[in-house]
Amino acid sequence: MATDAESHASPLTDLALVDELKRAVAERQFLLLYQPTIDLQSGAFVGVEALLRWRHPAKGVISPDEFLAALEASGLITEVGSWVLSTACRQGADWYARGHRFSVSINVSRQQLAQATLPREVALALAESTFDPGHLVLEFSEHTLTGGPELRASLDHLKETGVRLAIDDFGMDPGSVSFLEALPIDIVKIDRAVVSDLS
């Protein structure tokens, strides 16, 4: 059973973890794994999703469940997110040059979306890598896409770069459908809790 100290522990107060993450950014300890996306009707391979992992020098490869909240709380997520974007675009361009035509999806954090420079950053990553914008999918969690007119403007600017936009883990909020109608979203990924009991 967790102690009071453990139950109230927060990534924001875990300075040791934040220091380790700063070192991980400086020493490029992060890597991307690519999870395949399969069309259920045809069984065809249609894309990949880039998954962030931390190659910790002592603990080995660590999943984001153990460090993502600390990245977000510390603000390091924007720098790591930029690295993910450029790395995934370069990898996608390499696959494309080899004749493989499939999408590459990456997750975008709330902090990244809040930056006015994000559309320009996306356009630059695409231009430098020569990756086809139509094959890049930017994924946002449902809670990330809450905001006023400035949110819609940010998404519209991202759409202008030619990429596709997706909502991940959709359906947990009762107002999800009306919320979705107001945004320029191309792909909706239903949360597993919504479909887990379906045959």
Side-chain angles (χ1 to χ4, degrees):
M1 184 174 179
T3 65
D4 286 345
E6 289 170 335
S7 62
H8 289 91
S10 160
L12 196 58
T13 59
D14 193 343
L15 299 181
L17 177 56
V18 171
D19 284 343
E20 281 193 283
L21 286 169
K22 288 178 180 177
R23 191 176 309 114
V25 171
E27 298 178 0
R28 301 183 180 183
Q29 294 175 4
F30 294 103
L31 72 152
L32 293 180
L33 302 180
Y34 294 92
Q35 176 176 278
T37 304
I38 306 297
D39 184 302
L40 291 179
Q41 288 187 318
S42 66
F45 172 80
V46 295
V48 295
E49 180 179 355
L51 304 176
L52 182 65
R53 296 293 184 269
W54 179 9
R55 191 187 289 110
H56 193 283
K59 301 176 183 177
V61 177
I62 301 176
S63 75
D65 289 345
E66 298 185 41
F67 64 84
L68 191 59
L71 275 181
E72 293 176 341
S74 65
L76 291 168
I77 190 66
T78 54
E79 187 173 352
V80 174
S82 296
W83 174 84
V84 169
L85 172 64
S86 60
T87 302
C89 284
R90 287 196 304 270
Q91 180 62 74
D94 180 64
W95 282 324
Y96 197 93
R98 296 167 186 258
H100 305 299
R101 303 292 186 265
F102 52 78
S103 64
V104 176
S105 301
I106 66 169
N107 290 286
V108 178
S109 70
R110 180 189 290 270
Q111 288 95 324
Q112 286 176 279
L113 183 58
Q115 292 185 312
T117 56
L118 180 61
R120 187 164 63 249
E121 186 178 335
V122 170
L124 182 61
L126 290 165
E128 290 182 341
S129 65
T130 70
F131 189 41
D132 181 354
H135 285 83
L136 179 64
V137 180
L138 303 182
E139 292 190 6
F140 308 88
S141 64
E142 189 174 342
H143 78 275
T144 296
L145 296 178
T146 53
E150 64 281 355
L151 169 65
R152 176 59 193 252
S154 297
L155 295 176
D156 285 340
H157 290 320
L158 286 171
K159 287 286 291 180
E160 289 169 4
T161 67
V163 303
R164 290 184 291 162
L165 306 180
I167 294 184
D168 197 8
D169 299 331
F170 178 77
M172 298 307 290
D173 185 339
S176 294
V177 175
S178 58
F179 155 82
L180 179 63
E181 292 172 348
L183 300 175
I185 299 298
D186 301 293
I187 301 167
V188 176
K189 298 172 68 176
I190 307 298
D191 189 275
R192 72 176 64 186
V194 177
V195 298
S196 59
D197 293 331
L198 299 179
S199 59

